[in-house]
């Protein structure tokens, strides 16, 4: 009988505590749920993920590729390259260039402007096409001005885009060349004007143009 009452008392005690256990569990569960609702999912704001970060990996606008380097083609010059510092050297290059342009044929001229006093050079390749125009590409290198560190042999900057330019021939040039006077001179750095961008030419393209006339 005593055992029966002990069992009955335990059951009654358990029954009495059950509402408190359920209520406590509800409070705990509700508390967790409240935290979940109060803390919205900010994963998109705090972690952009690899796909989002990839969109800025380029660092801005694309940099265009450098133009094909015609200087690397090693074309043979039709006249010796003229170097201009204070005066043109060698001077015989200018009448040679004038006769090439007047003759209506094709050929290759080269010039190097080096005004100094530091290394301040602009080199040009001029492919005379025989129709009053030329395909031109230039390149530059600069070194030695105050604050500019450089080695003994500064490298050339990327060459310019390819251009088609007009060749200026004065009315008196032919007569001067026939008379073999000092006015028989074509200036590769000054008598090349009205340049405009053109599609790139490979070494083979230029060879074909020079052989066309």
């Amino acid at each position: 009988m005593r055992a029966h009452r002990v069992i009955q008392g335990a059951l009654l005690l358990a029954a009495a505590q059950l509402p408190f256990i359920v209520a406590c569990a509800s409070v705990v569960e509700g508390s967790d749920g409240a935290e979940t609702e109060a803390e919205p999912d900010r994963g998109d704001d705090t972690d952009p993920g690899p796909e989002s970060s990839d969109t800025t990996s380029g660092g801005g606008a694309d940099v265009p590729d450098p133009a094909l380097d015609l200087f690397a083609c090693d074309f043979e010059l039709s006249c010796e390259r003229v170097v201009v510092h204070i005066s043109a050297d060698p001077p015989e290059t200018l009448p040679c260039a004038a006769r090439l342009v007047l003759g209506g044929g094709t050929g290759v001229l080269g010039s190097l402007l080096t005004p100094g006093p530091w290394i301040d050079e602009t080199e040009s390749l001029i492919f005379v096409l025989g129709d009053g125009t030329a395909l031109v590409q230039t390149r530059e290198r600069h070194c030695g001005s105050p604050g500019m560190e450089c080695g003994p042999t500064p490298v050339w900057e990327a060459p310019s885009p390819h251009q088609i330019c007009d060749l200026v021939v004065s009315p008196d040039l032919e007569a001067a060349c026939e008379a073999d006077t000092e006015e028989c001179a074509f200036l590769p750095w000054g008598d090349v004007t009205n340049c405009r961008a053109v599609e790139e030419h490979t070494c083979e393209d230029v060879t074909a143009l020079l052989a066309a006339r």
Side-chain angles (χ1 to χ4, degrees), residues 81-85 110-114 121-124 156:
R81 184 183 70 167
V82 59
V83 179
V84 183
H85 177 54
S111 70
L112 178 66
L113 302 181
T114 175
E121 299 179 344
T122 301
E123 185 175 17
S124 299
W156 291 101

Side-chain angles (χ1 to χ4, degrees), residues 30-127:
S31 176
D32 292 342
E35 288 182 2
T36 303
E37 294 177 358
E39 185 69 20
D41 184 5
R42 296 186 301 173
D44 291 341
D45 295 335
T46 59
D47 184 10
E51 292 184 0
S52 176
S53 62
D54 284 346
T55 59
T56 58
S57 60
D62 292 337
V63 178
D65 294 331
L68 291 174
D69 186 2
L70 297 179
F71 291 90
C73 300
D74 291 329
F75 284 100
E76 182 178 356
L77 297 180
S78 304
C79 303
E80 188 173 352
R81 184 183 70 167
V82 59
V83 179
V84 183
H85 177 54
I86 297 175
S87 59
D89 183 50
E92 57 268 21
T93 293
L94 303 186
C96 176
R99 292 187 173 91
L100 172 63
V101 173
L102 288 171
T106 61
V108 186
L109 301 175
S111 70
L112 178 66
L113 302 181
T114 175
W118 304 288
I119 297 177
D120 182 16
E121 299 179 344
T122 301
E123 185 175 17
S124 299
L125 270 180
I126 303 162
F127 299 95

Side-chain angles (χ1 to χ4, degrees), residues 12-36:
L12 290 174
L13 180 60
Q17 291 178 343
L18 182 60
F20 295 98
I21 295 173
V22 173
C24 183
S26 299
V27 170
V28 173
E29 182 180 359
S31 176
D32 292 342
E35 288 182 2
T36 303

Side-chain angles (χ1 to χ4, degrees), residues 179-203:
D180 198 19
T181 64
E182 292 184 356
E183 286 71 25
C184 178
F186 180 84
L187 311 180
W189 64 93
D191 292 336
V192 179
T193 63
N194 192 28
C195 297
R196 54 270 188 199
V198 70
E199 71 279 0
E200 290 192 350
H201 293 67
T202 64
C203 301

